[in-house]
Amino acid sequence: MKKFVIRLFACIAVGTIITVGILKFVDGYLYKITQSSYLEIDTYRTSGEVELKSEDIISLPENASQVQFSYNNKYYAYLEDGSIHINTTEDKNEYSVITEDNPICYYYLLYDKNLIMYFIEDTTGIYTTLTLRTYDIGTKRTTDYNDIDVRNFSRIKDITMSPLVNIIYINIETKTTLATNNIVYKIDLFNSMSQVRSGSIISKIRMLQHVDRLYYQDTKGGVYNAGATVNYLFGYADVELIGIDSDLASSDDNEKLYYLNTETNDVVYVVSGSKLVDTIYLSDKDLVTTYNEYGNVYLIYPTYILDITGKNPYKRIAKLSKYVTFEAIKGDTVYLRTSNNKIITTKLLDN
């Protein structure tokens, strides 16, 4: 009887080991065939490093910042030493460099065309002049726009714009030893400019695409449009404005705004105009970040991505690994960063 029990436990142990091995193999295999990926990530290594088996890798300089990718996945850009470096994604070669007499402090690669908006910083004492210029990647032509004179300039925090109505909103931080303030400027690309908000710390700005309407959120959680709060739509829940769903090809201005309930982290409210039109209840609360390019609002979790503006907001449209962090989504391509400062890509599944 004793020998029988020993043999039984031995068979169970061997069976368990074989089963675990098979499940790991199947999981890795299913990931490869469902993702149509440019890369293969060995998710079972214990060293914490990513084993890349593809040559389709973007290596970034150590001091690169503000890494961005073009809407058609042909170019990527980054800021280094006050200049914008533009490279091609196909061969990783340097395509061009935007260099000015004074350092470039901020840039924005448009979501619908290969055009870069950037700001040149010229500081003397406590006064800074920010010069707005655009750069057409295809023609390599530069166009001058407005100058903004700022006292106690610290940084540009955020930009939101609509190419349909040619309006840009810029959130600028000013700072002294006594206080920090945010100032929102409105620039019409036909060269008029005005200051629209000051006196608070603004964490996020978002603009509708078919009409000149700005939404902004302060660090106290208040969400405003034209100075009026919109939080009443959600009762007493704390919310974060996470994105706008706009059909850029349509003349319909019925755009939808998406708000995350930050108290529970598993409810998204969908608003059209001044009406709550939908509520999305999520299964997980471990949200890492969100991503919005006006046409889509994505929720990024540790191991997967949701497109809550898609036909099925609950469908997982990409699988992630704990060895990479999310960077951006352009079209059907997801950009991920490894621990050794490399960018790799994978494809979204159909949604």
Side-chain angles (χ1 to χ4, degrees), residues 138-284:
T139 64
K140 299 186 179 181
R141 185 171 62 184
T142 301
T143 303
D144 288 324
Y145 285 96
N146 302 66
D147 288 344
I148 304 175
D149 294 319
V150 183
R151 184 171 177 172
N152 299 314
F153 172 76
S154 173
R155 63 186 174 115
I156 296 176
K157 292 181 65 175
D158 198 5
I159 285 180
T160 184
M161 71 162 300
S162 169
L164 300 179
V165 296
N166 291 313
I167 299 293
I168 304 171
Y169 287 93
I170 308 160
N171 185 16
I172 293 178
E173 178 183 87
T174 62
K175 184 179 291 187
T176 67
T177 55
L178 300 177
T180 299
N181 183 37
N182 289 171
I183 306 173
V184 177
Y185 292 89
K186 172 183 174 181
I187 294 180
D188 186 321
L189 289 182
F190 296 107
N191 278 326
S192 66
M193 185 181 68
S194 59
Q195 181 178 312
V196 297
R197 181 70 183 174
S198 182
S200 60
I201 306 300
I202 298 171
S203 59
K204 184 173 294 185
I205 56 176
R206 288 291 184 273
M207 179 185 176
L208 296 186
Q209 295 301 286
H210 293 275
V211 294
D212 179 10
R213 186 176 302 157
L214 177 70
Y215 290 82
Y216 59 92
Q217 183 162 21
D218 61 24
T219 52
K220 297 180 180 179
V223 182
Y224 304 90
N225 167 238
T229 182
V230 299
N231 292 46
Y232 68 90
L233 292 170
F234 321 110
Y236 295 101
D238 292 331
V239 297
E240 177 189 351
L241 175 59
I242 59 174
I244 295 177
D245 179 13
S246 302
D247 184 357
L248 302 181
S250 171
S251 59
D252 183 10
D253 62 356
N254 188 25
E255 303 179 68
K256 295 178 182 177
L257 286 79
Y258 288 72
Y259 298 86
L260 174 70
N261 185 326
T262 54
E263 293 179 3
T264 64
N265 230 35
D266 61 357
V267 180
V268 173
Y269 305 106
V270 186
V271 175
S272 179
S274 59
K275 295 182 180 180
L276 180 63
V277 297
D278 194 12
T279 302
I280 302 172
Y281 296 94
L282 306 165
S283 58
D284 294 328

Side-chain angles (χ1 to χ4, degrees), residues 32-52:
K32 293 174 188 176
I33 65 173
T34 57
Q35 286 294 86
S36 300
S37 180
Y38 291 149
L39 58 102
E40 296 178 6
I41 302 176
D42 181 0
T43 58
Y44 306 113
R45 293 183 62 189
T46 58
S47 64
E49 295 294 327
V50 177
E51 180 181 346
L52 301 174

Side-chain angles (χ1 to χ4, degrees), residues 60-163:
L60 298 172
E62 184 177 349
N63 297 325
S65 64
Q66 299 184 31
V67 182
Q68 298 181 36
F69 309 90
S70 67
Y71 78 103
N72 57 3
N73 298 300
K74 287 187 176 181
Y75 306 96
Y76 66 94
Y78 56 87
L79 194 65
E80 183 183 32
D81 298 328
S83 298
I84 301 171
H85 297 258
I86 305 168
N87 292 46
T88 57
T89 54
E90 183 176 359
D91 55 20
K92 316 302 181 297
N93 290 334
E94 188 168 84
Y95 175 80
S96 64
V97 180
I98 307 174
T99 301
E100 300 286 352
D101 292 337
N102 290 302
I104 298 170
C105 62
Y106 191 94
Y107 80 98
Y108 175 67
L109 211 168
L110 269 63
Y111 59 82
D112 66 336
K113 58 177 66 71
N114 289 324
L115 187 74
I116 292 177
M117 295 190 311
Y118 64 96
F119 289 85
I120 307 164
E121 177 184 348
D122 184 7
T123 299
T124 303
I126 63 172
Y127 295 97
T128 296
T129 297
L130 298 173
T131 300
L132 170 61
R133 289 179 179 162
T134 62
Y135 179 85
D136 187 306
I137 297 178
T139 64
K140 299 186 179 181
R141 185 171 62 184
T142 301
T143 303
D144 288 324
Y145 285 96
N146 302 66
D147 288 344
I148 304 175
D149 294 319
V150 183
R151 184 171 177 172
N152 299 314
F153 172 76
S154 173
R155 63 186 174 115
I156 296 176
K157 292 181 65 175
D158 198 5
I159 285 180
T160 184
M161 71 162 300
S162 169

